[in-house]
Amino acid sequence: MTEPASSTVAKPMAQPSARGPARQIAVRIRSAPLTRALAALQPDRWRFALAVAAGTGALGCAIALLGVSGWLITRASQQPPVLYLMVAVVTVRALGLGRGLLRYAERLLGHDVALRGAVALRVSLFEQLGRAPSSVAAGYRRGDLLARLGSDVDMLADLIVRALLPVAVALVTGIAAVAVLVVLLPLAGGILAVGLLVAGVCASLLSARAVVGAEQGAADARAVLAADTLDLMENLPELTVAGAVPGRLDRQAGVERTLASELDAASRPAAAGALVATLGTGGAVLGCLAAGVAATSSGLLDPVLLAVVVLVALGTGEAVAPLPAAAVALVRGRHAAARICELLDAAGEVSVTGRCVPQTGARTRWADHPHLRAESVLRGVDLDLPCGRRLAVVGHSGAGKTTLMRTLAGLQPTAGRVTLAVDGQPPRDISTYGDEEVRAAVTFVADDAHVFATTMRENLRLADPRADDAVLVAALRRVGLGPWLDGHPAGLDTRLTADGAARDDGCSGALSGGERRRLLLARAVLARSGVLLLDEPAEHLDPETADELVASALTRGDDGLAGDRSVVVVTHRLAPLWLADEVVVLNHGRVAARGTHAQLLAQYQPYRHGFEHETADATAVA
C-alpha cells in the first residue's frame, strides 16, 4: 500500500522541471530586500526610461564629439577644400550643445524619479506604521526610527541616480561604442569590449566585495549616532542637571570615530576599484591604438579613421568610470533596504511578488465600556480596570510608572498579559487587536506627547476629528485653558510650533509647560475611548492647580474630566488621591503597597511621610 505512494512522491523528483532553477532564482531576486525596497519606491518607468535615453544621448554626444573632432583635425591636416569640412564643423557644435542639454535633462529626470520615489516610500511607511500596532514604532529608538524614515529612504532613492541610471547608461553606451568600432575595425571593437568588461564589471565587483564588511559597520554606527543625537537633544536639560552631558558627548565622539574609520575602510577598496577601471580603459585605448596603427600600416584602415578609433575608445571610458562607485552605492543601498524592509515587515506586511502589501483583518465594534486587565506585568503587577474604576499610581522616578502605562496601552511588550474585554465577550490579549481598535478603547496621554506645528484646532481634532468649535472650546475650558484662549485673538486659529510656542500675528504668548500638559489633557477629554491613561497630567503646575486637575480627573460624573470612564493616573501629588478607588505604590517595577488613600496613610509609612511632607510644603507656602 505504501509503494505507490512513495513512487508518487518520487515522480516529481525524477522529472524536475527545466525551469525550476530559473524560477527559484527569480523568486529569490524578487524577495530580496533590495528588490522589495526598490519596488516600494514605485519608480516611474517612463521617466526612468527617458532619463536613460537622455544620459545615453549625452554620453553619446561626448564620445561622438571626440570622434568627429579627431576626424576633423586629421582631415584638415590634409588641406581639403573648406566645404568638405563644414558638415563636421556644424556637427561638432551640435554635439557640444547637445551634450549639455541632454546631461541637464538626464539630471532633471533622474532626480525627479528619485524624489518621487522617496516621497512614495515615506508615505507608504507612514501609512503602514499608522495601521500597525503602536508597539511596532515603540519597539524602535526614536533616533533609529528617524534614521530609517530619513537617511535610509534617501540612500535608497539615491540608488536611482547613483547606481541604476549609470549602469543602464553605461550598458547602452558601451554596446553602441563597441558596435561602431566593430564596423570600423573588428579587432579594436573586441579590445574595447574586453577593456570595458575589466573596467566596468571587474572593478565594480572588486569595490563591492571589499566594501561589504566595512559598510555594515558604518550603517550600524550611523543608526547609533542618530539615536544618541536625538536622545541628547531631547533630554539636554535633564542630562545637564545630572552632569551626564560630557559622558554622552564622549560616547558620540567614539561612535563618530568608529564611523569615520569604517568609511575610510570602505573608501580604500572603492579607490582600488577606480584604479582598476582606469587601467582597464587605459589598456583598451592603448590596445585600440596599437591595432589601429597596425591596420593603417597594412592598409586595412584609412589613416583619417585612426584618430576616430582611438578617441572613441577613450571617450567610452567615461561610461564605465561611475560603475565602481555605483557598486558601492548598491552595497550601501542593500543595507538601507534591509532596514526598511525590516520596518515594513514589523508593521505587519507580507511580500507578494516582490512588493510589500498590508495584512488585513476583521474590525471589532467597540462598546462604550471596555474592561482592561493586567496580569503579572512588570514584576508581578496585577491590575483590574472594570468600567468606571479610578486608579492612581505613584512612586519615585524610575519606579516603572511610565513603563506600566505603556504596557497597559499595548505599546510595550511584557512578560505578563494585558487583556481587553468588550460587549460582554471573553477577554482577549490586547496584542490580538488592531491598533485602531485599541485606540478606540484606550487613550494614553504620555508625558512626552507631541504638539504639532499647526493650529490649536487641529491639535485638538487629533482626538476627535468630528468635533466642532464649541466642543473644542468647552474641552479647553474644562482643563483650565479658558484664560489662555481668551488671551489670544486668533482663538482656535492660533498656530503653534512643535514646541508649543504661539506664532499668530495677534499674540506673542506661548504654551508654558503646564499649559502644554493641559492641551494634552484636553485631547484626552475629547477622545471617545472608555479608558484614560494619564501620565503625570499635573506636571509643571503649581501645587494647588495640580491638585485641582488630578482631583478633576478622578472625579466621577459630569463634574469630572473623565465622566464615567475608567481612569489610571500617574502622579506625584498625593492629596487628591482620596478620590481614587485604589492607589498603587511602585518601587523598582514591583508593587510596594496598594490600597485606598486612607489605608496607605494608616499602614504604609513612606506614603504617609510623603503626604505629610506635601502638606507641610503647602502650609508653608500659604
Side-chain angles (χ1 to χ4, degrees), residues 361-386:
R363 295 294 180 185
T364 301
R365 180 180 62 84
W366 288 105
D368 294 332
H369 305 294
H371 186 163
L372 189 65
R373 183 190 298 270
E375 301 174 0
S376 299
V377 299
L378 297 185
R379 298 184 180 181
V381 179
D382 296 329
L383 299 176
D384 189 16
L385 291 171

Side-chain angles (χ1 to χ4, degrees), residues 269-331:
L275 175 61
V276 172
T278 302
L279 293 177
T281 55
V285 172
L286 292 177
C288 289
L289 176 60
V293 169
T296 301
S297 300
S298 62
L300 296 176
L301 183 67
D302 191 317
V304 176
L305 296 179
L306 176 61
V308 177
V309 171
V310 175
L311 292 176
V312 166
L314 179 63
T316 309
E318 184 179 345
V320 296
L323 295 188
V328 173
L330 279 172
V331 173

Side-chain angles (χ1 to χ4, degrees), residues 329-399:
L330 279 172
V331 173
R332 293 174 177 170
R334 188 179 66 177
H335 293 299
R339 286 165 52 81
I340 289 173
C341 282
E342 177 188 344
L343 186 60
L344 289 171
D345 291 337
E349 297 183 343
V350 294
S351 175
V352 179
T353 64
R355 291 185 177 270
C356 298
V357 297
Q359 294 178 343
T360 58
R363 295 294 180 185
T364 301
R365 180 180 62 84
W366 288 105
D368 294 332
H369 305 294
H371 186 163
L372 189 65
R373 183 190 298 270
E375 301 174 0
S376 299
V377 299
L378 297 185
R379 298 184 180 181
V381 179
D382 296 329
L383 299 176
D384 189 16
L385 291 171
C387 174
R389 185 170 178 79
R390 298 297 195 265
L391 179 68
V393 180
V394 298
H396 60 78
S397 179

Side-chain angles (χ1 to χ4, degrees), residues 562-587:
D564 294 328
R565 292 181 282 186
S566 303
V567 178
V568 181
V569 178
V570 169
T571 180
H572 61 281
R573 302 297 301 174
L574 304 181
L577 299 190
W578 65 273
L579 291 166
D581 297 322
E582 184 180 24
V583 181
V584 177
V585 182
L586 293 183
N587 185 23

Side-chain angles (χ1 to χ4, degrees), residues 20 56 61 102 108 177 306 345 365 464 513:
T56 303
C61 285
L102 290 173
L108 188 65
L306 176 61
D345 291 337
R365 180 180 62 84
D464 185 3

Side-chain angles (χ1 to χ4, degrees), residues 8-147:
T8 302
V9 174
K11 185 176 181 180
M13 300 294 293
Q15 298 178 0
S17 172
R19 293 181 296 175
R23 284 184 176 179
Q24 293 178 1
I25 294 174
V27 170
R28 291 182 61 183
I29 292 175
R30 288 197 299 267
S31 61
L34 184 58
T35 306
R36 293 177 56 199
L38 287 175
L41 284 172
Q42 302 175 17
D44 189 313
R45 297 182 180 181
W46 286 107
R47 282 189 173 89
F48 183 76
L50 290 174
V52 172
T56 303
L59 195 53
C61 285
I63 298 172
L65 182 61
L66 284 174
V68 174
S69 299
W71 182 91
L72 179 60
I73 294 172
T74 306
R75 187 71 177 92
S77 67
Q78 298 176 347
Q79 299 181 351
V82 176
L83 292 177
Y84 288 9
L85 306 177
M86 290 305 297
V87 173
V89 170
V90 174
T91 302
V92 167
R93 292 177 179 176
L95 292 173
L97 293 173
R99 178 186 183 184
L101 292 174
L102 290 173
R103 181 66 68 188
Y104 176 77
E106 177 207 7
R107 292 287 186 264
L108 188 65
L109 290 167
H111 283 84
D112 181 62
V113 174
L115 293 174
R116 288 174 183 268
V119 171
L121 181 53
R122 284 198 177 96
V123 169
S124 176
L125 284 169
F126 278 113
E127 287 179 346
Q128 301 303 335
L129 288 173
R131 287 194 291 262
S134 299
S135 57
V136 173
Y140 295 89
R141 295 180 64 184
R142 294 181 64 183
D144 183 31
L145 188 62
L146 183 63

